[in-house]
Amino acid sequence: AQRVTQPEKLLSVFKGAPVELKCNYSYSGSPELFWYVQYSRQRLQLLLRHISRESIKGFTADLNKGETSFHLKKPFAQEEDSAMYYCALSYGNNRLAFGKGNQVVVIP
Amino acid sequence: ETGVTQSPTHLIKTRGQQVTLRCSSQSGHNTVSWYQQALGQGPQFIFQYYREEENGRGNFPPRFSGLQFPNYSSELNVNALELDDSALYLCASSLGGTAGGTGELFFGEGSRLTVL
């Protein structure tokens, strides 16, 4: 069975400091990993996917199959990055298994 | 482009009752998935509908059932409600189904169900 683990529930960082959200997964197939984000009073939306290998809003994430990880990173946090972040694993046909989420608070 | 809309936004039921939640998919999307999000948890996959057929189901009992209509809108029905069914129910639409898909889901704002 597929499983996604996000260990820290709440992460507080100062503006301009680096942010790293950890995500580990367990899956017997070929993994497709995503980060979804939910800003205050907005709906859940896709932030980035590993297959795209792109930086979105300054965030990057690298899939490490050896460590079964897909950590999300940003070198300099901005106030607008305050949000709930969910790591998700696709196990076929757009079915996603989500982690419990990380609440990020950026302190001005 | 019309986004995913869900109704009702909030509702309160008592144990043993039945509830129907509704979802209109984003324009052009043929696949609808339902997720349950309990407080403090991530969304959990309930089931998916593609072209009016169930196309995958998570670890939920048969009292959770659904429908998809020819216009791709969908309903989630829950019978014999239990206290643990209290949660935010999210609908998400996408392009894909058996064709695979990109993994990008477009979510509605959810229906918050409270079971007393």
Side-chain angles (χ1 to χ4, degrees):
Chain A
Q2 58 285 339
R3 183 172 181 154
V4 176
T5 304
Q6 294 178 250
E8 300 103 2
K9 192 64 179 174
L10 175 64
L11 186 68
S12 298
V13 298
F14 286 100
K15 179 181 174 180
V19 179
E20 181 176 12
L21 303 181
K22 296 188 185 301
C23 172
N24 289 90
Y25 67 89
S26 172
Y27 183 52
S28 57
S30 182
E32 292 183 48
L33 275 297
F34 307 84
W35 278 96
Y36 275 76
V37 62
Q38 186 168 23
Y39 300 103
S40 178
R41 289 185 292 277
Q42 293 187 28
R43 59 190 68 193
L44 194 59
Q45 59 187 285
L46 177 67
L47 178 62
L48 57 78
R49 69 194 87 183
H50 91 268
I51 202 167
S52 299
R53 292 180 163 270
E54 56 191 349
S55 173
I56 304 292
K57 300 183 178 183
F59 285 97
T60 58
D62 291 318
L63 178 60
N64 186 323
K65 292 185 179 181
E67 296 184 357
T68 60
S69 68
F70 188 57
H71 304 327
L72 184 68
K73 301 177 184 179
K74 183 170 182 176
F76 308 104
Q78 303 299 313
E79 290 180 63
E80 56 265 29
D81 297 328
S82 294
M84 195 75 184
Y85 292 82
Y86 293 94
C87 183
L89 165 74
S90 174
Y91 54 102
N93 293 338
N94 285 352
R95 283 167 278 183
L96 299 183
F98 287 86
K100 291 185 178 182
N102 294 120
Q103 179 73 53
V104 172
V105 176
V106 180
I107 304 164
Chain B
E1 186 176 87
T2 307
V4 177
T5 58
Q6 293 186 241
S7 63
T9 54
H10 296 80
L11 69 166
I12 299 174
K13 294 284 188 177
T14 57
R15 264 189 311 175
Q17 284 189 311
Q18 178 265 343
V19 68
T20 297
L21 308 178
R22 296 178 175 83
C23 171
S24 293
S25 61
Q26 181 160 310
S27 177
H29 285 178
N30 56 15
T31 303
V32 172
S33 303
W34 286 92
Y35 287 79
Q36 181 195 65
Q37 187 173 21
L39 200 61
Q41 303 294 316
Q44 187 173 0
F45 177 69
I46 303 175
F47 44 55
Q48 180 187 90
Y49 278 84
Y50 171 66
R51 292 185 176 178
E52 304 177 58
E53 298 282 335
E54 188 179 287
N55 183 41
R57 187 179 185 92
N59 189 25
F60 281 82
R63 59 189 185 85
F64 285 78
S65 63
L67 282 173
Q68 188 179 31
F69 300 99
N71 66 354
Y72 302 131
S73 66
S74 177
E75 288 183 354
L76 164 65
N77 298 290
V78 187
N79 293 322
L81 284 167
E82 301 177 359
L83 297 179
D84 285 348
D85 296 334
S86 294
L88 181 68
Y89 288 85
L90 294 169
C91 171
S93 73
S94 59
L95 275 172
T98 58
T102 64
E104 180 166 11
L105 302 183
F106 294 80
F107 283 87
E109 294 184 323
S111 293
R112 185 164 296 283
L113 171 65
T114 302
V115 182
L116 302 176

